[in-house]
């Protein structure tokens, strides 16, 4: 099956710093990627839709200036958490759809903000 | 409003017994329905999908799901559960219209298969 990678798999940072998370589709091109946030034992919360060549579409309640998304190419989307705070600590997951709606997920990035 | 409901936070079943994880949806139009599984410390994996055709869909790891339009349900089933099936299961739906491939997700059901 298709493979989506994320880097880093985990990151610890100080409050106030920015963290960049990369999402790559390794064997297919993805004009769209999705960024999710998952809290422990809870569902996925869609944060934004990353669109190659255009601006990301953010879900209601998600601060676009805090969670910067750049879809630089057909295989790479990045999520930058700016001025991170402890409440931003979470598990961030990206996905890329292929075929009819089927999405392939990255393994996730565990962010801990001290 | 479009929504997906997984009415059970947790399902417990003994190994070897049949299992069912429930999902109902509320959307306008024809839905595309999906089941995903998340094993501990691993990414989400696609299990199966219903697009059109036969209401009974077979997927990975021996799982299957039945699309019931009248009951707006898409329950996940397996005839004989394995301990290794213990995981978090998510139901999701996508509308078939347009190029919007965003999925609407259920809250997830934690499946525990006891030896």
């Amino acid at each position: 099956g298709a493979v989506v990678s994320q880097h880093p798999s985990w990151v610890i940072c100080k409050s106030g710093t920015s963290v960049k998370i990369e999402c790559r589709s390794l064997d297919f091109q993805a004009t769209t990627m999705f960024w999710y946030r998952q809290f422990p034992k809870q569902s996925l919360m869609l944060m934004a839709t990353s669109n190659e060549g255009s601006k990301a579409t953010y879900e209601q309640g998600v601060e676009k200036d805090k969670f910067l998304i750049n879809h630089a190419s057909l295989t790479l989307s990045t999520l930058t958490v700016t001025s991170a705070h402890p409440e931003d600590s979470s598990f961030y997951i990206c996905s890329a759809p292929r075929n009819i709606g089927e999405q392939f997920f990255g393994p996730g990035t565990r962010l801990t903000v001290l | 409003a479009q929504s997906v409901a997984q009415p059970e936070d947790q399902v417990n079943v003994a190994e070897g017994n049949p299992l069912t994880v429930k999902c109902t949806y509320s959307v306008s139009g024809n839905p595309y329905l999906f089941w995903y599984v998340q094993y501990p410390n691993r990414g989400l994996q696609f299990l199966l999908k219903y697009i059109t055709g036969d209401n009974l869909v077979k997927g990975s790891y021996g799982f299957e799901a039945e699309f019931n339009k009248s009951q707006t349900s898409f329950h996940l089933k397996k005839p004989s559960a394995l301990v290794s099936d213990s995981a978090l299961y998510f139901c999701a739906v996508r509308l078939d219209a347009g190029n919007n491939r965003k999925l609407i997700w259920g809250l997830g059901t934690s499946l525990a298969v006891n030896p």
Side-chain angles (χ1 to χ4, degrees):
Chain A
V3 178
V4 174
S5 70
Q6 272 184 250
H7 177 81
S9 56
W10 59 270
V11 57
I12 301 173
C13 69
K14 292 182 178 180
S15 186
T17 61
S18 295
V19 174
K20 180 186 286 188
I21 303 170
E22 293 186 348
C23 177
R24 292 180 186 272
S25 55
L26 298 184
D27 54 356
F28 67 102
Q29 294 182 334
T31 56
T32 300
M33 290 184 177
F34 298 99
W35 285 97
Y36 294 89
R37 186 171 174 176
Q38 186 179 31
F39 296 93
K41 297 184 179 180
Q42 292 189 13
S43 186
L44 301 169
M45 183 193 83
L46 178 65
M47 299 174 66
T49 303
S50 174
N51 304 300
E52 191 270 338
S54 64
K55 292 182 179 180
T57 304
Y58 289 82
E59 295 299 304
Q60 190 173 7
V62 178
E63 299 176 61
K64 60 179 68 175
D65 293 332
K66 180 164 186 63
F67 298 99
L68 300 179
I69 291 172
N70 181 29
H71 201 131
S73 73
L74 288 171
T75 59
L76 173 65
S77 174
T78 60
L79 167 68
T80 301
V81 183
T82 63
S83 186
H85 288 93
E87 58 265 30
D88 298 325
S89 299
S90 191
F91 194 55
Y92 292 88
I93 306 172
C94 72
S95 73
R98 196 176 76 168
N99 301 326
I100 305 177
E102 181 179 337
Q103 293 191 18
F104 294 91
F105 286 82
T109 298
R110 174 74 58 192
L111 171 63
T112 301
V113 185
L114 303 177
Chain B
Q2 340 276 16
S3 65
V4 175
Q6 291 180 243
E8 302 154 317
D9 291 337
Q10 176 137 0
V11 170
N12 295 296
V13 63
E15 186 174 30
N17 284 1
L19 69 87
T20 299
V21 183
K22 296 179 180 177
C23 173
T24 58
Y25 64 91
S26 175
V27 299
S28 54
N30 297 317
Y32 293 170
L33 294 154
F34 303 85
W35 275 101
Y36 287 82
V37 60
Q38 186 177 31
Y39 296 102
N41 301 315
R42 291 172 63 180
L44 277 94
Q45 296 178 32
F46 168 77
L47 270 182
L48 50 80
K49 65 183 176 185
Y50 171 82
I51 303 298
T52 186
D54 193 347
N55 289 343
L56 184 62
V57 179
K58 294 187 182 297
S60 307
Y61 313 120
F63 284 92
E64 59 188 29
E66 185 168 11
F67 171 61
N68 188 319
K69 188 172 184 178
S70 63
Q71 296 184 5
T72 61
S73 67
F74 190 56
H75 301 330
L76 180 71
K77 299 183 179 184
K78 186 172 182 179
S80 179
L82 300 173
V83 173
S84 58
D85 292 329
S86 299
L88 192 56
Y89 290 81
F90 292 99
C91 180
V93 63
R94 177 202 159 189
L95 300 179
D96 65 351
N99 294 318
N100 184 358
R101 292 183 280 183
K102 185 169 71 174
L103 294 179
I104 302 169
W105 294 86
L107 294 180
T109 299
S110 179
L111 173 66
V113 181
N114 306 306

